[in-house]
Amino acid sequence: MTIWMGDTGAAAIPAPALRPTSAVIRGGGGRLFALKAGDRMVVRDAEGLQPALLYGFGAPDALRGLPGRPAPGLPAALAATKLVLPAFPALSAEPALSADLFGDGAPAGASLTLEASGDLLCLLLAPGGAMAPDAQDTPTDLLVEITPKVERTGEIPPPLDPALVLDRRILAATAAAYEVKAGQYIQIIDVDGRQCSDFLAFDAAELKAGREYDLDPTTTRTLMGSSFSGPGLHSKYFDSRMRPLVEVVHDTVGRHDTFLLACTAKYYEDMGYPGHSNCTENFNKVLAPFGVSERQGWPAINFFYNTFVDAHDRIAMDEPWSRPGDYVLLRALTDLVCASSSCADDIDPANGWMPTDIHLRVYDAACQFQNGSAHRMTPDAEPRMSRESGFHPRTSALTRSFEDYRGFWLASSYAQAGPIEEYWACRERAVVTDLSALRKFEITGPDAEDLLQLAVPRDVKKLAVGQIVYTPLCYEHGGMIDDGTIFRMGAHNFRFVCGDEFSGTWLRSLAEKHGLKAFVRSSTDQLHNLAVQGPASRGILKRVVRTPPHQPTLNELQWFRFTIGRIADRPIVVSRTGYTGELGYEVWCHPGDAVAVFDAIMEAGQPDGLTPMGLLALDMVRIEAGLVFAGYDFSDETDPFEAGIGFAVPKAKSDPYVGADAIVRRRDNPHRRLVGLEIEGNEPIGHGDAVYLGRARTGVVTSATKSPILGRSIALARLDVSVCAAGTRVEIGKLDGHQKRIAATVVPFPHYDPQKTRVRTPAPTEAEASGIAPEGDPASTASDDPRGAVNRGA
């Protein structure tokens, strides 16, 4: 099995993959792949309405099962998608065959099966242009599955770049040593999946001088603060001098080991297998020509080795997470002597019980690779590397502190301010935050309203065009799938904005199950969003947002409504929504317009001290405001009432919806509730800390922060209903839960602005806007301190 790892919705179509068993053609992109005679290919339009254009280079009759609809000429199709073919010899001729596979209006899940009668090269395009923020013509992905006539193993993805310095196979149960220059890239590929590869690296200059300085896992864990390094800010592996030798650029697996030695002769002897091949002796053999001293056990970086600490503090292991073609990509930070193994272990699950090959590639230092980890929506999905939002060219100029949040690089904080200053900017002035990682879905079709009415507890039939409603999505047992907001774009048109890619898959399957003619298509890559939040946000956006006469102005825009307009002559949608507890808006635009929109807003906000805000400060303000976060405050084991959002589940809804019976039962017989806690003292409190009443554990902290505006530590916690009354004294357990306790008091939440007066702040009247105060009401001044006002109100 071979899965090629590249994204294809870019300007250039990469070289062909070698007969992938499954692949994704990104909406607006294309893909090349080779077929052999007898191979069977299934092309599927998972989300519906997506054109699929196939071009074949080979014999005209080399593909059976094609529909009679010819595709448009290849030059026109490429021009429409702005794609460029690679310089590949077979592509110099005109395509021998072409077909429009689905025509117009294919339903979600439509598929076509084709069979190759001869060898040919295929180009599959998923055409589509940029979607305007107020439109819903989003291009979506095509899925391809290929069943080879003859089972093939040992195939690997094509190179990430043509500039190869080394291309070498490491056979099962062997090792290889090699030299790498500073700046070059090392790609270690698991060929057939579930195979470990131990990695060593030595400072080459020191080694020539007779001194061995190699990767030190303990030093690395200490400096990076994690069990293994990954792409992003904490990406390096160090030697015992605390000098970095390599950094991780790509990781498509996300599970490796730095605690255990590479396998040794002693391990196999102790298990009753004397003389068994092992990585340590293999390393000793291949490193001897470089003058490296033999060791009884090598403290390696054990890529793809799946180890973990179990509930009894034992280091346990299981089969690797790696799939065929998975890899890590490293960058050498100095000249190195390296060694890689294909682990020989066949007596336990470490290599899936059967050692297989590892493939090694080294790329020239001139190559450019964007940092990223692989993300899969489902275990069998093709991985997608972390990506940058349309605002990244501007945010990356202001900070290097980024984190991989749901597959997007988003800023944690900014260099010129930091989380505390960003926090106060949000509470006192205004901030911008890139939240493009939110998932967006266009829900259209004659049954779109019926689908959402069935899917959520809210009464979608009451939603007016231009209105937004916040809602949970729940399973039949009442546990939450996700939360999000529904925008009503038209009579049969909705947009759902949420946190999890799976929500779209779930909605699509629900439509299919009930025979509803409704399309659920992802628009995440067509719609990026910038939150503009804080007391000055309305005034800032009024300077740059232009709306047509039939749309609300910024002054007219009410809470949980949206308007359509332009910023810097770029189309945008502005919603009066947010995640801060302050007056705020979200600006939605195509990623191609994101830089222009960002620049216009920042320039307009300069007089008001508009400040970029990262995720660290965002977490502080959202906890104060009592806004819940997936994976922390709710999961599929918690219902909306236990998540503190029971307000989003009306008691009276005439139509049935998924989970209704369970939700009614759980509402009438509650076991747990989400409450606020005020913490005594300044001890750090975190997600997952247990809450006790005496010796009995009665709940868990879901989110916590030190509130700057309240001057104390606060938390959200899910507690047994018997201890949820305001004023109840409880304790938070630290260490083993009993040796150290932190006193806390149950309080109502949200802790900040519980009446939501700030998010509901009305637009000023014409007299107020002109600076004329009503008679007898002294005008407020710009010097008023919002913190003082809030503290007085508290």
Side-chain angles (χ1 to χ4, degrees):
M1 295 172 63
T2 300
I3 300 177
W4 183 67
M5 300 297 175
D7 266 354
T8 56
I13 299 176
L18 297 179
R19 298 178 297 283
T21 56
S22 65
V24 174
I25 291 81
R26 302 291 176 199
R31 194 157 194 164
L32 284 164
F33 47 91
L35 294 178
K36 292 287 187 182
D39 288 353
R40 181 170 295 177
M41 175 174 69
V42 179
V43 181
R44 180 172 287 106
D45 179 6
E47 301 184 24
L49 303 181
Q50 175 58 49
L53 306 180
L54 181 70
Y55 301 87
F57 300 85
D61 58 351
L63 203 56
R64 292 194 288 263
L66 290 171
R69 294 180 298 272
L74 181 55
L78 291 172
T81 54
K82 299 182 180 178
L83 295 170
V84 179
L85 287 175
F88 197 68
L91 301 177
S92 59
E94 285 291 315
L97 56 89
S98 72
D100 179 346
L101 299 187
F102 298 123
D104 297 326
S111 65
L112 184 66
T113 300
L114 307 171
E115 185 172 344
S117 57
D119 296 354
L120 80 160
L121 184 65
C122 291
L123 169 63
L124 184 59
L125 299 179
M131 184 189 82
D134 60 332
Q136 296 188 290
D137 55 342
T138 175
T140 56
D141 297 347
L142 297 173
L143 308 180
V144 175
E145 298 172 1
I146 297 175
T147 304
K149 182 178 181 180
V150 178
E151 182 65 27
R152 294 183 284 268
T153 60
E155 291 185 344
I156 54 175
L160 301 174
D161 192 281
L164 279 171
V165 176
L166 177 67
D167 197 11
R168 180 172 182 176
R169 183 64 62 99
I170 301 174
L171 298 178
T174 67
Y178 48 98
E179 294 181 88
V180 179
K181 297 297 183 183
Q184 292 180 339
Y185 296 86
I186 308 161
Q187 185 186 20
I188 300 168
I189 306 169
D190 185 351
V191 176
D192 291 313
R194 299 185 178 180
Q195 172 63 43
C196 301
S197 178
D198 303 321
F199 176 71
L200 307 176
F202 298 81
D203 185 318
E206 294 290 346
L207 194 57
K208 288 180 181 178
R211 297 181 291 271
E212 294 182 10
Y213 290 104
D214 55 315
L215 294 174
D216 188 299
T218 302
T219 300
T220 296
R221 291 194 303 270
T222 302
L223 295 180
M224 293 289 92
S226 58
S227 57
F228 57 86
S229 301
L233 197 59
H234 302 99
S235 62
K236 296 179 176 62
Y237 282 98
F238 297 80
D239 64 17
S240 59
R241 301 168 298 175
M242 300 189 179
R243 296 182 183 177
L245 299 186
V246 297
E247 65 176 341
V248 184
V249 180
H250 288 178
D251 182 358
T252 70
V253 179
R255 177 60 69 91
H256 312 282
D257 170 76
T258 62
F259 288 92
L260 304 182
L261 297 171
C263 65
T264 64
K266 179 173 173 31
Y267 170 71
Y268 295 108
E269 290 166 2
D270 290 348
M271 297 294 290
Y273 297 90
H276 195 287
S277 176
N278 63 87
C279 291
T280 290
E281 291 181 346
N282 288 340
F283 279 144
N284 288 337
K285 189 182 302 180
V286 299
L287 287 170
F290 293 93
V292 176
S293 303
E294 289 191 359
R295 300 191 194 180
Q296 294 302 305
W298 279 102
I301 308 303
N302 305 309
F303 288 122
F304 316 134
Y305 191 18
N306 177 15
T307 62
F308 49 91
V309 180
D310 68 14
H312 306 288
D313 291 328
R314 292 182 59 86
I315 298 180
M317 62 91 172
D318 203 344
E319 294 183 5
W321 289 8
S322 52
R323 301 157 174 82
D326 271 340
Y327 69 92
V328 290
L329 181 70
L330 313 172
R331 180 173 173 265
L333 301 178
T334 188
D335 291 352
L336 300 173
V337 170
C338 301
S340 294
S341 74
S342 168
C343 181
D345 190 348
D346 60 357
I347 66 170
D348 56 40
N351 296 308
W353 301 95
M354 185 179 69
T356 53
D357 296 351
I358 290 292
H359 198 88
L360 177 71
R361 285 176 174 148
V362 177
Y363 298 91
D364 188 82
C367 297
Q368 297 291 321
F369 299 113
Q370 181 181 310
N371 289 357
S373 300
H375 295 263
R376 291 177 171 90
M377 186 179 65
T378 58
D380 58 345
E382 185 180 65
R384 187 167 191 186
M385 302 303 291
S386 314
R387 52 206 193 267
E388 299 171 352
S389 81
F391 303 104
H392 194 267
R394 291 296 182 262
T395 57
S396 60
L398 303 173
T399 184
R400 291 181 298 278
S401 181
F402 284 88
E403 57 187 270
D404 184 343
Y405 177 71
R406 293 186 177 271
F408 280 79
W409 290 114
L410 299 185
S412 302
S413 61
Y414 288 87
Q416 293 299 314
I420 298 299
E421 187 174 335
E422 294 164 20
Y423 166 91
W424 281 117
C426 181
R427 290 286 181 239
E428 295 178 331
R429 305 186 304 276
V431 295
V432 293
T433 302
D434 181 2
L435 292 179
S436 299
L438 291 173
R439 272 30 182 190
K440 300 97 179 174
F441 297 95
E442 308 303 319
I443 304 174
T444 58
D447 297 333
E449 182 182 81
D450 291 346
L451 171 61
L452 288 171
Q453 188 76 349
L454 176 64
V456 304
R458 293 288 203 175
D459 195 342
V460 179
K461 290 181 177 179
K462 295 181 178 180
L463 199 63
V465 175
Q467 192 175 7
I468 306 167
V469 68
Y470 170 78
T471 186
L473 263 68
C474 297
Y475 290 106
E476 288 285 3
H477 71 279
M480 288 179 61
I481 301 169
D482 203 351
D483 67 340
T485 49
I486 298 173
F487 292 55
R488 185 154 206 161
M489 312 295 291
H492 306 291
N493 303 67
F494 298 85
R495 177 173 292 156
F496 183 54
V497 180
C498 59
D500 198 325
E501 192 82 24
F502 175 71
S503 296
T505 301
W506 183 80
L507 287 168
R508 212 172 292 122
S509 65
L510 189 66
E512 181 180 6
K513 177 181 177 181
H514 290 270
L516 298 175
K517 189 173 183 180
F519 298 93
V520 182
R521 295 173 295 149
S522 173
S523 57
T524 302
D525 290 331
Q526 294 287 317
L527 206 58
H528 290 184
N529 53 299
L530 192 70
V532 185
Q533 304 281 304
S537 58
R538 180 189 285 124
I540 291 169
L541 287 178
K542 279 171 61 177
R543 297 173 193 145
V544 292
V545 173
R546 299 291 176 262
T547 55
H550 64 282
Q551 289 289 333
T553 65
L554 256 292
N555 260 3
E556 296 166 340
L557 192 61
Q558 300 297 307
W559 196 30
F560 275 82
R561 298 272 180 164
F562 69 88
T563 189
I564 297 166
R566 286 182 172 266
I567 292 179
D569 203 31
R570 310 300 172 96
I572 51 96
V573 166
V574 181
S575 60
R576 192 169 161 186
T577 50
Y579 196 50
T580 63
E582 293 290 346
L583 171 68
Y585 302 83
E586 290 178 274
V587 179
W588 313 80
C589 66
H590 188 272
D593 295 328
V595 167
V597 169
F598 186 93
D599 289 347
I601 293 173
M602 290 301 294
E603 182 179 355
Q606 189 173 1
D608 296 277
L610 181 63
T611 302
M613 184 175 78
L615 297 182
L616 294 176
L618 180 67
D619 200 47
M620 297 161 68
V621 296
R622 72 95 186 164
I623 293 171
E624 289 179 345
L627 302 173
V628 296
F629 183 44
Y632 280 65
D633 305 302
F634 71 84
S635 70
D636 51 11
E637 295 181 345
T638 55
D639 61 48
F641 307 101
E642 296 169 333
I645 58 169
F647 65 86
V649 184
K651 285 187 176 181
K653 181 179 177 180
S654 56
D655 296 327
Y657 61 92
V658 176
D661 292 343
I663 286 174
V664 169
R665 182 179 68 250
R666 295 171 76 146
R667 176 172 52 203
D668 294 343
N669 302 279
H671 289 207
R672 302 173 296 174
R673 269 183 50 205
L674 194 72
V675 301
L677 293 180
E678 286 188 356
I679 317 298
E680 293 186 9
N682 296 308
E683 296 280 356
I685 305 299
H687 168 75
D689 286 346
V691 181
Y692 292 86
L693 186 65
R695 185 171 178 81
R697 177 171 174 168
T698 57
V700 63
V701 171
T702 60
S703 294
T705 190
K706 177 69 177 291
S707 169
I709 203 165
L710 302 177
R712 63 178 73 96
S713 293
I714 60 172
L716 302 177
R718 190 160 18 257
L719 303 183
D720 186 88
V721 293
S722 64
V723 294
C724 285
T728 302
R729 302 278 292 175
V730 294
E731 293 178 310
I732 298 171
K734 306 297 284 188
L735 305 180
D736 65 350
H738 299 286
Q739 292 186 61
K740 183 177 180 180
R741 295 285 183 86
I742 309 299
T745 303
V746 176
V747 297
F749 83 96
H751 297 81
Y752 174 76
D753 190 24
Q755 302 305 315
K756 304 290 186 185
T757 59
R758 296 177 74 86
V759 294
R760 298 176 188 268
T761 302
T765 64
E766 289 186 17
E768 291 170 334
S770 65
I772 303 173
E775 186 176 349
D777 182 14
S780 62
T781 67
S783 62
D784 286 346
D785 182 1
R787 284 177 289 177
V790 171
N791 289 333
R792 288 193 298 272

